[in-house]
Amino acid sequence: MRQKSNGKQQFIIKRAAGFLLLIFAFTGIIGICVGKKDNRIRADSGMETERMAEENTKAASGKIKEEEVKKVALTFDDGPNPDHTETLLEGLKERNVKATFFLLGAECEKYPEIVKKIHADGHLIGVHSYEHVNLSNLTDQAAMEQVDKTDQIIFGLTGEHAQYIRPPYGCWKCNLDYETKMIEVLWDVDPLDWKTDNSSVIAKRVMDKVQENDIILLHDASESSVNAALLIIDELQGEGYSFVTVEELILE
């Protein structure tokens, strides 16, 4: 009887042990599965974080590119002109463009209201000369009279002295740098607009050469030049260019 009882007890113990092993094994499998699930969630979460970081980087990069605007400066010599300058001013205002006007003193005396309008519209005004003469052919005193007389006229009409000068033909006397504080401004692109009355030709000459940070030379003394200027603005704005005064370009 004792042997049967012992055999029965051993059988019960073995079954209990087997049952416990089965429970432990099942628990382990669950643990492994949960662990794998947790790892997948963490991995997915990491991938999502990386994806979001990439998108944020792309967005920031796009914003930076949008802020990196290409700039050019439009400049007009020989004005103010009674027939064409005001038409140009209206076109510039419609396109939200600021330009630089190098004025002749004699013309400023004839058309003071146009000078005031140029200034009121926020454009930069510089000196060209009084009578459009080659300053390098004059004595120092005569050359300075051309410059100073024009500046005084501009000051009387706008309340501001000119800070920039473009000498006619680009001819300046180096020793006059000691006589005036004005900064000499020349140009990068000259389409020779005074040689043709074809606006499209003028615009194409500019578009073929213009680059970022260039200064474009034009005149506001003819209909063709004014029309060409507006064509140039429309094309360059379409290419992402912004128009600034020479002061903004130089001081950048």
Side-chain angles (χ1 to χ4, degrees), residues 7 18 34 36 44 59 74 87 106-107 109 112 129 156 173 182 184-185 188 200-201 214-215 219 241 249:
V34 170
K36 287 183 178 179
D44 288 349
L74 270 181
T87 301
E107 299 305 303
E109 287 180 328
S129 67
K173 295 168 73 76
M182 293 182 193
E184 181 187 10
V185 177
D188 299 297
S200 297
V201 169
D214 274 354
I215 296 174
H219 299 79
Y241 279 87
L249 211 57

Side-chain angles (χ1 to χ4, degrees), residues 23-163:
I23 292 175
F24 291 150
F26 183 73
T27 304
I29 291 171
I30 293 176
I32 292 170
C33 292
V34 170
K36 287 183 178 179
K37 184 178 180 181
D38 289 343
N39 287 336
R40 182 178 60 79
I41 293 173
R42 283 195 292 269
D44 288 349
S45 178
M47 290 171 66
E48 179 67 12
T49 302
E50 290 179 6
R51 184 182 65 79
M52 291 176 64
E54 287 178 2
E55 290 179 354
N56 291 337
T57 301
K58 289 178 181 178
S61 177
K63 185 177 181 181
I64 291 171
K65 288 180 180 178
E66 290 177 359
E67 293 174 351
E68 293 175 353
V69 180
K70 297 178 290 186
K71 298 178 181 179
V72 291
L74 270 181
T75 64
F76 299 92
D77 290 2
D78 296 356
N81 182 279
D83 300 317
H84 305 296
T85 301
E86 290 182 287
T87 301
L88 173 62
L89 291 174
E90 290 305 311
L92 295 176
K93 181 179 290 186
E94 290 173 1
R95 293 161 175 78
N96 194 30
V97 166
K98 301 302 180 187
T100 304
F101 290 79
F102 292 100
L103 305 181
L104 293 171
E107 299 305 303
C108 291
E109 287 180 328
K110 294 177 185 177
Y111 312 107
E113 294 307 313
I114 300 179
V115 178
K116 292 178 181 178
K117 183 170 177 56
I118 294 172
H119 180 259
D121 284 356
H123 302 291
L124 182 66
I125 294 177
V127 168
H128 200 29
S129 67
Y130 183 77
E131 298 170 312
H132 204 283
V133 293
N134 189 329
L135 299 179
S136 65
N137 291 337
L138 304 179
T139 64
D140 289 357
Q141 181 178 353
M144 284 309 304
E145 286 177 0
Q146 287 276 331
V147 175
D148 290 341
K149 188 174 182 179
T150 304
D151 181 43
Q152 287 302 319
I153 295 168
I154 292 171
F155 177 75
L157 294 172
T158 67
E160 295 181 7
H161 285 289
Q163 302 297 316

